[in-house]
């Protein structure tokens, strides 16, 4: 292992090899990525739609009433979550939509570019400690980790935020190894940008502060650059704090306590939950090697490994203290697992066999990901949107009832020829849902006749319905009975094939034969996610 205070010297051939290996990995990974509007996770089409909104906002330039424009946009495409999440990924996506058009593939391209940055950043970061071959293996392994590859090939925020964090770590390490102070400013700026992508990466600021204090001791307080960096970071984060406090109450609630937590932070299960996820996230070969590597590093007291020890420990405490637990939240901890695994391999394997051992480990991890952890998809929503776009009268409303409303809404917005159509979600008419059903649902008690009249009054000519959606609720039972009444005529059934056990198997499209009114103006929509009501048009 290089001296802990040394700056790595990187040859041009190694850079070319790093680019080649990362690009090859991306080509293989994204060849298996679902596309064509076949979204799986409910947040993915919403992240994709948010970028479309930014593009549309810039084109419209509603300087007199930007908030009103956003509300009207939500009323037309009720899957918009632009203020619920940090906005950077959407701002980056907007010019790509403008150039390549609105599609699932364009959104995946933006994710893939972040994935490229992540791979190159991992290689560059590992070079502070490891020789060329293990560093290249480190980058490829991180890209192929089952958890990273699963979420990184969907339109999700983990990999984009991950890319910013890794490059911020590269910059901070350059400063800690004796580089000019501009590296520290760059590292802080990249971390702030990472937080504008996904707020949870904020814990790395504690890691950087601890590493700098460890190096400088009390002198850290006398360095005016440290104070400037901290002040600029705080100022830069003020808009994000305002957005989170004003519109992200659900995110705050996920920290303080959620009713459906898989393991409460008040229990010991909550503090070991993320440890239990690691074998599935990286695979048992890496876990076994990482345990050996961590033990060797501790036993030999290897210097200069603070980023890996603290990055895992501080991050683990941070994510475990949040009540809402999902395995994807902790992907930022996994590079430490990979690093210690490679440290064990480098220490224990004979020099002449190290390259072969690295190759076997990479191949084993990639095979595990490809065969055991494919990215899920649910198809059919683009076909449903196309069918409705063919049938619906101009300026009318399409009602959607189903689990994957975001997928339908995005696919309909992608139809540039039918920007006149509005989407109305049946759950907004029939229910009051607090973010997700597990946190509470209120049934509004409309009768079948009232449901039918409300559909007419809202200008709904066609309904797209997932049969059996939330059918345990009486309000949804009444809605399905209305769809089978004489007022509605079935016009199409569209299969929704999936590579996992999905909530649905088909979508049914109904035509409303009743007295449909013009789409109403000024009607309010309740947004429980931000605790306010907005005008529907």
């Amino acid at each position: 292992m290089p001296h802990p205070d040394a700056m790595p010297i990187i040859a041009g051939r190694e850079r070319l090899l790093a680019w080649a290996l990362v690009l090859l990995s991306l080509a293989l990974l994204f060849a298996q990525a679902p596309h064509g509007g076949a979204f799986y996770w409910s947040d993915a089409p919403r992240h994709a739609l948010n970028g479309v909104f930014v593009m549309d906002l810039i084109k419209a330039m509603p300087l007199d009433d930007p908030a009103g424009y956003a509300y009207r946009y939500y009323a037309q495409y009720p899957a918009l979550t632009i203020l619920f999440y940090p906005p950077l990924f959407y701002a980056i996506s907007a010019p790509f939509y403008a150039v390549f058009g609105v599609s699932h593939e364009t959104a995946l391209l933006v994710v893939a570019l972040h994935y490229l940055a992540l791979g190159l950043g991992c290689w560059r970061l590992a070079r502070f400690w490891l020789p060329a071959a293990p560093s290249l293996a480190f980058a490829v392994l991180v890209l192929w980790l089952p958890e990273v590859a699963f979420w990184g090939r969907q339109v999700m925020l983990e990999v984009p935020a991950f890319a910013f964090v890794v490059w911020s770590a590269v910059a901070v390490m350059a400063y800690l190894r004796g580089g000019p102070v501009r590296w520290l400013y760059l590292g802080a700026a990249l971390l702030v940008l990472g937080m504008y992508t996904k707020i949870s990466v904020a814990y790395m600021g504690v890691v950087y502060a601890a590493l700098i204090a460890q190096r400088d001791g009390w002198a850290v307080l006398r360095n005016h650059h440290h104070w400037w960096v901290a002040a600029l970071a705080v100022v830069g984060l003020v808009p994000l704090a305002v957005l989170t406090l004003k519109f992200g109450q659900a995110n705050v609630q996920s920290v303080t306590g959620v009713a459906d937590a898989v393991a409460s932070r008040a229990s010991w299960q909550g503090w070991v939950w993320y440890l239990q996820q690691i074998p599935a996230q990286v695979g048992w070969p890496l876990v076994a090697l990482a345990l050996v590597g961590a033990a060797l590093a501790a036993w030999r007291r290897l210097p200069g490994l603070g980023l890996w020890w603290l990055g895992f420990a501080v991050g683990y405490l941070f994510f475990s203290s949040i009540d809402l637990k999902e395995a994807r939240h902790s992907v930022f901890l996994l590079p430490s697992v990979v690093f210690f695994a490679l440290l064990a391999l480098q220490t224990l394997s004979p020099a002449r066999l190290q390259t072969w051992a690295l190759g076997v480990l990479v191949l084993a991890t990639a095979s595990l990901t490809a065969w055991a952890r494919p990215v899920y998809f649910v198809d059919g929503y683009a076909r449903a949107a196309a069918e409705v776009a063919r049938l619906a009268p101009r300026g009318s409303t399409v009602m959607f009832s189903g689990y994957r409303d975001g997928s339908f809404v995005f696919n309909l917005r992608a139809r540039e020829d039918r920007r006149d159509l509005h989407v109305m979600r049946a759950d907004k008419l029939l229910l009051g849902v607090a973010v997700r059903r597990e946190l509470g649902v209120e049934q509004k008690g409309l009768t079948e006749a009232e449901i039918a009249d409300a559909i007419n009054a809202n200008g709904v000519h066609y309904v797209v319905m997932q049969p059996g959606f939330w059918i345990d609720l009486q309000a949804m039972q009444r809605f399905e009975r209305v769809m089978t009444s004489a007022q509605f005529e079935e016009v199409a059934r569209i299969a929704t094939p999936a590579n996992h056990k999905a909530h649905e198997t088909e979508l049914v499209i109904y035509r409303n034969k009743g007295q449909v009114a013009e789409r109403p103006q000024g009607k309010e929509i309740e947004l429980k996610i931000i605790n306010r009501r907005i005008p529907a048009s």
Side-chain angles (χ1 to χ4, degrees):
M1 192 168 69
H3 190 276
D5 294 326
M7 289 287 288
I9 299 175
I10 300 174
R13 289 181 60 185
E14 184 185 341
R15 295 180 188 276
L16 289 175
L17 185 57
W19 275 87
L21 288 174
V22 170
L23 287 172
L24 176 61
S25 294
L26 290 183
L28 294 173
L29 283 163
F30 277 84
Q32 306 171 58
H35 57 281
F39 295 97
Y40 155 64
W41 195 250
S42 61
D43 287 341
R46 288 170 163 78
H47 293 315
L49 181 66
N50 290 346
V52 181
F53 165 79
V54 173
M55 178 193 70
D56 289 341
L57 178 70
I58 293 172
K59 287 181 178 180
M61 291 296 287
L63 299 179
D64 57 329
D65 187 18
Y69 179 86
Y71 292 150
R72 292 189 295 273
Y73 199 96
Y74 179 88
Q76 184 174 8
Y77 302 112
L80 190 68
T81 54
I82 185 67
L83 297 177
F84 180 63
Y85 297 103
L88 182 58
F89 178 76
Y90 316 132
I92 294 173
S93 301
F96 287 88
Y97 285 126
V99 173
F100 298 108
V102 177
S103 69
H104 190 177
E105 289 76 11
T106 301
L108 284 174
L109 172 63
V110 180
V111 177
L113 292 174
H114 285 89
Y115 219 136
L116 172 66
L118 171 63
L120 294 174
C122 284
W123 159 68
R124 186 62 182 79
L125 182 62
R127 284 297 272 118
F128 284 106
W129 294 271
L130 300 173
S135 296
L136 293 169
F138 177 85
V140 175
L141 282 168
V142 170
L143 296 184
W144 279 95
L145 290 178
E147 195 74 28
V148 175
F150 184 85
W151 296 106
R153 290 175 288 173
Q154 302 181 64
V155 189
M156 298 293 286
L157 303 181
E158 279 72 26
V159 160
F162 211 164
F164 281 108
V165 169
V166 166
W167 277 105
S168 77
V170 171
V172 171
M173 285 309 304
Y175 171 70
L176 290 171
R177 295 289 180 94
V181 74
R182 65 173 178 269
W183 285 110
L184 180 60
Y185 283 91
L186 177 61
L190 289 170
L191 181 59
V192 168
L193 292 175
M195 292 177 64
Y196 270 91
T197 306
K198 192 171 179 67
I199 296 175
S200 59
V201 301
Y203 77 91
M204 284 300 295
V206 177
V207 176
Y208 298 155
L211 292 174
I212 295 170
Q214 182 185 40
R215 186 195 69 170
D216 294 351
W218 288 107
V220 70
L221 300 176
R222 296 194 294 271
N223 188 325
H224 69 278
H225 287 292
H226 296 162
W227 292 103
W228 271 111
V229 166
L232 290 172
V234 169
V235 171
L237 290 171
V238 167
L240 182 60
V242 172
L243 285 174
T244 301
L245 292 174
K246 190 171 183 179
F247 300 105
Q249 295 97 331
N251 286 330
V252 175
Q253 183 186 6
S254 71
V255 176
T256 58
V258 291
D260 61 336
V262 295
S264 171
R265 59 179 176 166
S267 67
W268 67 267
Q269 292 93 338
W271 293 93
V272 300
W273 192 85
Y274 281 111
L275 277 179
Q276 295 171 327
Q277 311 311 307
I278 292 176
Q281 290 177 304
V282 304
W284 276 108
L286 279 171
V287 170
L289 282 171
L291 290 173
V292 173
L296 285 172
W299 178 48
R300 296 184 178 184
R301 297 184 180 179
L302 295 179
L305 301 183
L307 179 71
W308 306 105
W309 289 116
L310 285 174
F312 185 89
V314 175
Y316 190 88
L317 292 173
F318 174 78
F319 291 114
S320 296
S321 67
I322 296 173
D323 232 26
L324 179 63
K325 290 178 171 58
E326 293 181 10
R328 64 186 172 92
H329 293 167
S330 66
V331 293
F332 311 106
L333 310 182
L334 303 183
S336 290
V337 178
V338 178
F339 177 83
F340 284 112
L342 291 176
L343 187 62
L345 203 62
Q346 183 188 14
T347 304
L348 299 178
S349 61
R352 68 182 184 279
L353 298 178
Q354 279 189 11
T355 301
W356 287 102
L358 291 170
V360 169
L361 186 61
V362 168
L363 183 60
T365 303
S367 299
L368 176 67
T369 295
W371 296 107
R373 196 78 191 278
V375 183
Y376 292 158
F377 68 83
V378 180
D379 209 347
Y381 284 82
R383 285 184 57 208
E387 186 68 8
V388 165
R390 183 180 70 85
L391 296 171
R394 295 201 65 82
S396 63
T397 298
V398 179
M399 175 170 281
F400 182 84
S401 175
Y403 179 78
R404 256 168 271 274
D405 55 277
S407 187
F408 178 79
V409 170
F410 178 85
N411 280 294
L412 190 62
R413 169 57 189 86
R415 301 286 310 216
E416 294 290 352
D417 58 329
R418 295 309 312 263
R419 293 289 305 279
D420 58 292
L421 294 178
H422 284 60
V423 179
M424 180 180 183
R425 285 165 47 184
D427 62 292
K428 295 291 184 182
L429 173 66
L430 304 172
L431 308 170
V433 182
V435 184
R436 58 184 186 277
R437 182 179 170 180
E438 292 79 4
L439 299 183
V441 59
E442 171 195 355
Q443 300 188 63
K444 295 183 179 179
L446 297 180
T447 66
E448 292 178 27
E450 289 170 335
I451 292 172
D453 289 343
I455 291 174
N456 288 338
N458 280 280
V460 176
H461 284 267
Y462 284 87
V463 177
V464 180
M465 186 188 78
Q466 171 191 328
F469 174 63
W470 288 358
I471 199 66
D472 59 307
L473 299 177
Q474 290 185 0
M476 302 307 294
Q477 293 174 16
R478 289 192 288 270
F479 174 75
E480 290 214 3
R481 286 197 292 270
V482 171
M483 291 300 103
T484 60
S485 68
Q487 181 178 330
F488 290 86
E489 173 189 17
E490 180 183 322
V491 296
R493 283 183 178 260
I494 296 175
T496 56
N499 62 344
H500 69 291
K501 188 176 181 180
H503 293 268
E504 68 273 50
T505 58
E506 64 178 357
L507 297 173
V508 183
I509 300 178
Y510 293 95
R511 182 174 71 87
N512 184 3
K513 299 185 295 181
Q515 297 297 315
V516 182
E518 293 291 323
R519 183 171 54 82
Q521 305 291 317
K523 186 178 178 66
E524 286 192 334
I525 297 175
E526 185 179 18
L527 283 178
K528 284 184 173 291
I529 197 169
I530 58 174
N531 293 324
R532 64 180 59 195
R533 302 182 70 88
I534 65 168
S537 57

